[in-house]
Amino acid sequence: MTVTTAIVIAGLFQIVLRTSFFFEQEKGLCSPAPSLASWIFLISLLDLISDLCLYPVRYMHLPYLCQVIVETIITILLTEFGAIVVWCTLEKLIWRLIKSILLVMGMSTMTYANYETLILGVTTTSISLVILAFVGQATDHFHMIRKKCQRIERKVALNIEMLWHYVNGCGTPPRRCKGMHECMSDDFEDICCPKRRRRRRRC
């Protein structure tokens, strides 16, 4: 997988600074559409690159700095190609296609000119989101993020349950609970509140 440093540097140059080294940017915009779609496309491209192995395995014995430099250069090259050549060409094609279809369907030129930015923004953003979804599914990063969120959710739920247990006067909450299914079951008091269990048995 590509080192994180290379991904961060390439994202800084392309998304934040909008700087190019290998491909000359056009003077005008690719289309009147907002830049949000191009940013989403770049994020999906960086996500895809992060899942690739750009540095040859046979050179892994060299210092780690060599891998960082090589992967940074390749990542910047690929992101510039994707942003300036691939996405800009796709955005121009979408622009001309939508304009032709709407005008042929009977929309007036004045109406189209007033809502052109909105129409192109919705269309290009939707397409870039679809690309991001496919890339995230292919790299399996969405699954990793979902699993991490589920772990955080379980941990928060466990802490709330133990806090509720403490507030209800069950004494000091236990240091460790074997699982969420145990603490949230009907036998929660038997596991986490032995004092109440003994008191109930005396009765």
Side-chain angles (χ1 to χ4, degrees):
M1 296 179 64
T2 307
V3 296
T4 308
T5 306
I7 301 298
V8 172
I9 293 175
L12 178 65
F13 281 125
Q14 282 298 316
I15 299 178
V16 180
L17 301 179
R18 309 293 290 179
T19 305
S20 60
F21 299 96
F22 301 99
F23 295 92
E24 184 178 357
Q25 292 181 330
E26 298 182 359
K27 295 181 179 179
L29 297 175
C30 300
S31 76
S35 302
L36 177 61
S38 62
W39 294 344
I40 297 174
F41 177 79
L42 280 173
I43 291 173
S44 63
L45 182 59
L46 290 173
D47 185 24
L48 181 62
I49 294 173
S50 67
D51 199 52
L52 302 177
C53 186
L54 303 178
Y55 192 72
V57 179
R58 60 182 298 181
Y59 298 118
M60 286 293 185
H61 64 281
L62 295 176
Y64 180 71
L65 182 61
C66 297
Q67 179 181 355
V68 173
I69 294 174
V70 171
E71 290 189 348
T72 301
I73 294 174
I74 296 176
T75 304
I76 292 175
L77 174 63
L78 292 176
T79 51
E80 286 188 11
F81 177 80
I84 299 175
V85 178
V86 177
W87 178 253
C88 195
T89 303
L90 180 61
E91 199 172 289
K92 286 180 180 178
L93 179 62
I94 294 171
W95 178 27
R96 294 169 183 171
L97 185 62
I98 290 179
K99 184 176 182 180
S100 301
I101 291 175
L102 292 179
L103 293 179
V104 168
M105 290 176 62
M107 180 180 285
S108 64
T109 308
M110 182 74 66
T111 304
Y112 175 79
N114 292 333
Y115 296 99
E116 183 179 40
T117 303
L118 177 62
I119 295 171
L120 291 177
V122 172
T123 307
T124 54
T125 302
S126 302
I127 293 174
S128 61
L129 286 174
V130 171
I131 295 173
L132 179 62
F134 275 110
V135 171
Q137 192 69 25
T139 58
D140 205 29
H141 288 164
F142 284 169
H143 178 66
M144 295 169 59
I145 294 173
R146 186 163 56 248
K147 286 182 64 178
K148 187 174 293 186
C149 291
Q150 288 175 352
R151 286 197 298 268
I152 295 173
E153 182 182 354
R154 284 195 296 266
K155 187 179 294 186
V156 171
L158 177 60
N159 292 333
I160 293 175
E161 190 75 23
M162 295 177 70
L163 178 62
W164 178 259
H165 159 80
Y166 181 77
V167 169
N168 282 343
C170 194
T172 305
R175 295 182 179 179
R176 182 181 178 184
C177 195
K178 293 182 179 180
M180 276 297 299
H181 64 281
E182 294 181 0
C183 285
M184 298 183 70
S185 64
D186 294 335
D187 297 327
F188 172 74
E189 291 186 354
D190 292 339
I191 297 171
C192 300
C193 190
K195 293 182 179 180
R196 283 189 178 178
R197 179 184 59 190
R198 289 196 296 270
R199 196 179 308 126
R200 186 173 61 246
R201 287 180 179 176
R202 291 174 184 172
C203 299

